[in-house]
Amino acid sequence: MKDPYLPLNQTQRVRFEAALRKLQVLTPTTVGHYTLDQNGKVAATLCGVVEWVNKLVYVRNLRARYKPQVCDIIVGRVIKIAPDNWRLAINSEQDAVLKVSSMNLPDGTQRRRTADDELNMRSIFEENDVVCAEVCVKNDRSPPELQPMGQKYGKLERGQLLMVPSYLVKRQKQHCYHLGQYRIDLILGRNGFIWIGEHAAVGENAKLMGTEPENFTPLEMRNHICRLANAIRVLSALGFTLTAELIIETAEASLLSNVAVDDMVGAEFFVQTAEREAMRRVDLVRKENGSI
């Protein structure tokens, strides 16, 4: 858990430090990268930022970037269109490549791509488009190659793209979620790019075929998107591992506390979130020990 360096008043500072101490006591330390155990104390061997992920403490290099792995679900932004592929920025040392040969054709047929397909690449993705894809090829001699996530997730529209440290998004069984109560899609990219946007119905081909859907997003849905986005900003600033369950719980807690969307990034809600996470871990430890 990190100190978010907010302008806390004295009461908020006392509450926040109490929650921080409770979380540290409840989280046994396991030394990670660039740390060592010296007489029962953890010492850093690298100049960087101390990070906590559950029980693991490690030092993050100030210039650390995302390292792609095969089968990672990522979110990227198109930055260049080459003759037969798109180049995507994915928060890594190298840009990723999405080949036109891996894209689904409008009619769903399987055939070799032609020169006409390459000429029509801009009808699928243009510069600055946000895309959800999967890493399919990774080696040290060439940029990582991507493949699309089918017709349900491709070009992402009508939403927000958030960027958080990639170590906060751990590999999970599922990275793409449909939040039915909000009618919103949540995609946790392993590269630290997170998408929150209007739900794309199964079989909706507009995102891949280049046709323009209706661009209007209802005000209520925009409020839901902003509330979930601010929940992610708060959790990221506190250094908590991001999961769909924790994001939803934080957003719903703001509703129960009558916290406005803009006030979620204020000092009071940060302190409340830290205290709530400390209590959740206390209850978890009690359940594990059979004390309740």
Side-chain angles (χ1 to χ4, degrees):
M1 179 176 170
K2 299 186 295 185
D3 189 329
Y5 302 106
L6 289 171
L8 304 175
N9 59 39
Q10 183 175 0
T11 302
Q12 291 171 338
R13 173 63 61 181
V14 171
R15 291 166 54 199
F16 183 81
E17 291 179 351
L20 178 60
R21 287 193 298 269
K22 187 177 296 185
L23 286 168
Q24 291 176 341
V25 169
L26 292 172
T27 307
T29 303
T30 301
V31 295
H33 292 300
Y34 306 115
T35 61
L36 54 85
D37 190 343
Q38 288 186 339
N39 300 323
K41 295 184 178 181
V42 179
T45 60
L46 175 74
C47 180
V49 180
V50 178
E51 302 288 359
W52 291 77
V53 177
N54 295 332
K55 298 181 180 180
L56 177 70
V57 61
Y58 66 96
V59 178
R60 175 173 58 86
N61 191 320
L62 293 176
R63 297 183 179 180
R65 305 293 293 273
Y66 163 66
K67 295 181 179 180
Q69 299 292 331
V70 175
C71 296
D72 277 356
I73 305 301
I74 61 97
V75 177
R77 185 186 294 275
V78 178
I79 59 174
K80 182 180 178 181
I81 301 179
D84 63 347
N85 63 72
W86 295 270
R87 292 276 177 159
L88 276 70
I90 60 169
N91 191 31
S92 180
E93 295 178 352
Q94 291 180 304
D95 297 329
V97 172
L98 178 60
K99 294 183 177 181
V100 68
S101 59
S102 66
M103 295 300 300
N104 298 316
L105 293 172
D107 53 6
T109 59
Q110 299 294 326
R111 61 170 174 81
R112 300 187 68 175
R113 305 306 187 264
T114 64
D116 290 337
D117 293 323
E118 296 182 5
L119 291 175
N120 294 326
M121 288 174 59
R122 287 186 180 273
S123 67
I124 304 177
F125 299 134
E126 295 181 331
E127 289 88 348
N128 294 321
D129 282 348
V130 181
V131 180
C132 179
E134 179 181 359
V135 179
C136 60
V137 178
K138 175 64 178 75
N139 57 62
D140 297 332
R141 293 169 294 180
S142 62
E145 295 185 16
L146 307 177
Q147 63 183 10
M149 289 288 295
Q151 294 187 352
K152 182 178 179 181
Y153 298 107
K155 181 178 177 180
L156 304 174
E157 298 178 306
R158 290 177 287 181
Q160 284 193 34
L161 176 65
L162 302 179
M163 289 170 281
V164 303
S166 58
Y167 61 84
L168 294 180
V169 183
K170 301 174 68 176
R171 176 169 287 190
Q172 307 167 24
K173 293 183 179 179
Q174 183 179 357
H175 284 264
C176 303
Y177 300 87
H178 169 49
L179 310 183
Q181 65 272 43
Y182 302 117
R183 292 181 292 131
I184 285 174
D185 288 332
L186 171 65
I187 303 177
L188 303 176
R190 282 279 291 123
N191 57 333
F193 287 8
I194 298 178
W195 175 260
I196 310 170
E198 189 172 343
H199 175 57
V202 177
E204 180 183 332
N205 298 332
K207 291 181 172 56
L208 290 180
M209 301 312 122
T211 58
E212 290 294 333
E214 183 182 359
N215 291 323
F216 176 75
T217 300
L219 177 60
E220 182 181 5
M221 185 172 296
R222 280 184 281 168
N223 285 332
H224 290 326
I225 292 174
C226 292
R227 187 172 294 277
L228 290 166
N230 281 347
I232 292 173
R233 292 186 178 99
V234 171
L235 296 171
S236 173
L238 292 172
F240 294 150
T241 301
L242 297 175
T243 63
E245 294 77 12
L246 185 57
I247 293 169
I248 295 172
E249 179 184 334
T250 304
E252 291 181 346
S254 68
L255 285 171
L256 293 175
S257 302
N258 294 321
V259 178
V261 174
D262 293 342
D263 294 336
M264 290 179 65
V265 293
E268 179 61 27
F269 190 70
F270 270 83
V271 175
Q272 291 178 7
T273 303
E275 292 175 334
R276 186 167 51 254
E277 179 64 12
M279 291 302 300
R280 187 187 69 83
R281 296 190 185 184
V282 168
D283 293 339
L284 183 62
V285 170
R286 289 176 177 173
K287 289 179 181 179
E288 291 177 350
N289 296 334
S291 58
I292 59 174

